[in-house]
Amino acid sequence: MANRFCIFLVSFLQLAFLGKTQAQEIELDGFFLRDSVMIGEDLTYIVTAHYPMDLNILFPDSLYNFHPFEYNSREVYTTVTTEGISTDSIVYHISTFETDSLQQLSVPIYWVQEKDSVPVFTPMAEINFKPSLLTMPDSIALETAADYYPVIYPFNYPYWMAGTGILLFLAIISFGLFGGKIKRLFNIRKLERQHRQFLGNFDQHTSKREEEALSSLWKHYMEKVDNRPYPKLTTKEIGKILQQPEVLETLRLIDMNIYSQQAQQIDTQNYDRLRDLAISKYEDKLNQLKND
């Protein structure tokens, strides 16, 4: 029943958009079907786009971060085109595990150009969080019980408190003397573990030519080792930061294969540029931690 209602609503919105004639403008809308949601509950979020038919438009998929919501699935509806104006609609099924009273969501639609893509965001949609726990009453009626219960021998609290105090004192002294070294060693081990995991996943995606997953993996790892929001930057913005034309060209080739229908064969040397740059940033980060 819910799916039939979504299909009816999406079809109605597509027909409503067809009457507009602003041929050079992308018009977006994103909204929830309800005004409140409970934790873990499946929530329907609808995105519609109205744009000139000659534009190449892409919607976000499971790789996009829908924070504070979790992506479950999506339903893609057939494009409707009339008089040069196309209308696309997608129904996302998401859930939330956050407890903020008011939660918001805005997602980008990517306008794919020759060597780059431009994100255009939907208006901010809001939904209220509905707690699942009931409010406890001010007073509770208690029942008296006259049954016999065995007496538990008293716990030696003075000794326990003294021992706890000594252990706490030693812990504070140890942390004051070695806390910085322990924290640094922990961060180094964590960075090394993340780097090994990155290299394994990178080589796996490279061998399978999984370019979209490879691009997402590389950007998220670079964010960790270079402290810059690579996943949120466009390819052109990344090129301005890195100032490495060969890396920029590799990212553009990957973007073209992801967002364009004219896929090109990318040789291993291009992938190695991304891999080598990530290794270089990792080594800089590792030396920084060791010298702090």
Side-chain angles (χ1 to χ4, degrees):
M1 186 67 182
N3 287 336
R4 291 181 179 178
F5 176 72
C6 289
I7 294 173
F8 171 77
L9 181 59
V10 168
S11 299
F12 174 79
L13 291 173
Q14 287 181 327
L15 292 175
F17 269 123
L18 292 177
K20 300 181 180 180
T21 58
Q22 297 178 345
Q24 297 302 321
E25 183 178 357
I26 301 176
E27 299 182 12
L28 300 178
D29 195 13
F31 57 91
F32 299 106
L33 283 185
R34 303 200 306 270
D35 59 359
S36 64
V37 64
M38 298 176 65
I39 192 166
E41 187 177 15
D42 185 76
L43 178 62
T44 300
Y45 176 71
I46 298 179
V47 176
T48 58
H50 177 68
Y51 58 92
M53 63 178 295
D54 59 342
L55 298 186
N56 189 5
I57 300 298
L58 290 178
F59 287 76
D61 56 12
S62 58
L63 295 178
Y64 181 73
N65 184 4
F66 287 81
H67 183 80
F69 301 92
E70 298 290 337
Y71 173 89
N72 297 328
S73 62
R74 69 174 185 174
E75 301 171 24
V76 181
Y77 291 85
T78 304
T79 302
V80 177
T81 302
T82 299
E83 297 181 356
I85 305 301
S86 295
T87 300
D88 281 333
S89 299
I90 291 189
V91 175
Y92 291 95
H93 295 280
I94 56 180
S95 302
T96 181
F97 296 92
E98 302 292 336
T99 58
D100 296 335
S101 60
L102 182 64
Q103 300 187 21
Q104 300 176 320
L105 180 62
S106 174
V107 299
I109 308 302
Y110 297 98
W111 172 18
V112 180
Q113 302 181 32
E114 182 178 355
K115 292 186 178 182
D116 205 348
S117 59
V118 178
V120 182
F121 284 83
T122 61
M124 187 68 69
E126 298 181 347
I127 191 168
N128 295 313
F129 175 74
K130 184 179 180 181
S132 57
L133 297 178
L134 299 177
T135 304
M136 294 295 294
D138 295 334
S139 60
I140 301 177
L142 302 178
E143 293 184 2
T144 59
D147 296 335
Y148 170 78
Y149 289 93
V151 178
I152 301 176
Y153 290 100
F155 185 75
N156 196 334
Y157 284 101
Y159 282 102
W160 179 83
M161 293 179 65
T164 303
I166 293 174
L167 290 176
L168 182 61
F169 175 77
L170 293 176
I172 294 175
I173 295 299
S174 299
F175 184 80
L177 294 176
F178 308 106
K181 294 181 179 179
I182 294 174
K183 182 178 180 181
R184 182 168 63 252
L185 182 61
F186 173 81
N187 290 334
I188 290 174
R189 293 292 179 266
K190 179 181 178 181
L191 181 64
E192 292 173 341
R193 183 176 66 254
Q194 291 176 341
H195 185 65
R196 290 193 298 269
Q197 184 179 4
F198 163 75
L199 292 179
N201 292 336
F202 188 92
D203 293 340
Q204 181 179 0
H205 292 319
T206 300
S207 63
K208 295 181 179 180
R209 301 291 177 174
E210 298 172 338
E211 293 166 345
E212 186 171 0
L214 180 71
S215 176
S216 176
L217 173 70
W218 183 81
K219 290 178 180 179
H220 280 86
Y221 183 72
M222 286 289 290
E223 182 179 28
K224 294 178 182 178
V225 296
D226 201 24
N227 297 324
R228 297 186 181 186
Y230 285 89
K232 299 180 181 179
L233 299 177
T234 64
T235 298
K236 185 180 297 184
E237 291 170 336
I238 294 176
K240 291 181 180 180
I241 292 175
L242 296 177
Q243 294 297 316
Q244 296 191 24
E246 293 181 346
V247 173
L248 176 61
E249 182 62 25
T250 299
L251 292 176
R252 285 176 172 171
L253 290 174
I254 293 176
D255 283 348
M256 291 181 64
N257 283 358
I258 294 175
Y259 302 115
S260 175
Q261 297 180 352
Q262 300 177 352
Q264 299 184 14
Q265 184 70 22
I266 302 179
D267 56 33
T268 306
Q269 183 179 4
N270 284 279
Y271 294 129
D272 289 342
R273 293 169 183 168
L274 300 181
R275 192 178 191 274
D276 292 343
L277 179 59
I279 293 175
S280 176
K281 294 295 183 180
Y282 156 75
E283 292 174 348
D284 293 342
K285 183 76 171 180
L286 186 61
N287 292 331
Q288 179 183 354
L289 290 175
K290 290 180 178 180
N291 296 326
D292 282 347

